[in-house]
Each structure stands twice: as C-alpha cells, then as structure tokens.
Amino acid sequence: MHEFSLAEALISVVLEEAVKYGACRILKVRVRVGKLVGVVPDLLSFAFGSLAEGSIAKGAKLELEEVPFRGMCRSCGHSFDIDDFFGACPKCGSEELDIDGGNEFELIGLEIERSEDKLGDKDSEKSP
C-alpha cells in the first residue's frame, strides 16, 4: 500500500506550508493525483487521516483531483486521454506514443485557520 508513504510525504509538505503561513489548524487539503500513480482514494484519505492525528491537520478534509492518463502521438503530435498502455493515436492510428500526463502527485491548495483569525472571531462575538 503506497498510499501511506504518499500520505506521509503529503503530511510533511502540508505541515511545512501551513507553518509558513501561521496556521493553527488545517481545514482542507487539495491534491492533484494522476491516474498512473495508482492511488486508491479511500486508502489515501484513511492514511492521511491516520497520520494527521495529533497535528494541526487533524480532521482536515482531503480533496483529490484526478488527472487522466494522457498520451501524445510522436507521429502527428495529437494529445489525448489513454485508457491503457497499448493504445493507438485516435487521429492517425500510430502506436508511437509518449506519456503526456497522469503521473502527477502535487499539493494544489491548502485552507487553513490562523490564530489571528480565531482571535478576530472571538473579538467580534464579544462586540455588541
């Protein structure tokens, strides 16, 4: 299950980024995951949640954006989604393809709560 090693790396990056921006809590994490990475979304979410326990990421929602497996034809330059490794270009029929996408695993968004946000909320509740 490589989901735990991916989640471990993700937690590390997320916590590092959150600290840079003064986060006291991480609310949401958005990740772009290519189909070729072979991630099982439920397993990644479980791993992320387990590893987030005891940190400011505890309870954070993990949102995954799946990137399709894409190829580019060496013959005609056409770029297209591929269903398997043994595809052919739908435009010219060539089987000479390069991988053009689908192997991404990247943090694309982070929603945080900062300590000053919490103070602002408390102050506004106390105001008439």
Side-chain angles (χ1 to χ4, degrees), residues 42-108:
D42 289 342
L43 289 177
L44 183 61
S45 291
F46 175 77
F48 181 84
S50 296
L51 295 169
E53 286 294 320
S55 75
I56 62 171
K58 180 181 178 179
K61 181 179 180 183
L62 181 62
E63 290 184 354
L64 302 178
E65 176 186 312
E66 188 177 83
V67 178
F69 176 25
R70 294 196 47 83
M72 187 165 80
C73 179
R74 288 185 203 153
S75 298
C76 72
H78 182 64
S79 185
F80 56 97
D81 289 354
I82 299 177
D83 293 327
D84 59 44
F85 286 104
F86 305 104
C89 176
K91 189 171 180 181
C92 73
S94 172
E95 294 179 355
E96 293 185 36
L97 309 174
D98 289 324
I99 294 174
D100 193 30
N103 55 356
E104 299 87 347
F105 187 79
E106 57 190 350
L107 176 65
I108 58 171

Side-chain angles (χ1 to χ4, degrees), residues 25-43:
R25 189 168 155 227
I26 298 169
L27 305 172
K28 189 186 301 182
V29 177
R30 292 184 53 229
V31 179
R32 183 175 291 129
V33 182
K35 194 167 183 125
L36 282 175
V37 177
V39 166
V40 177
D42 289 342
L43 289 177

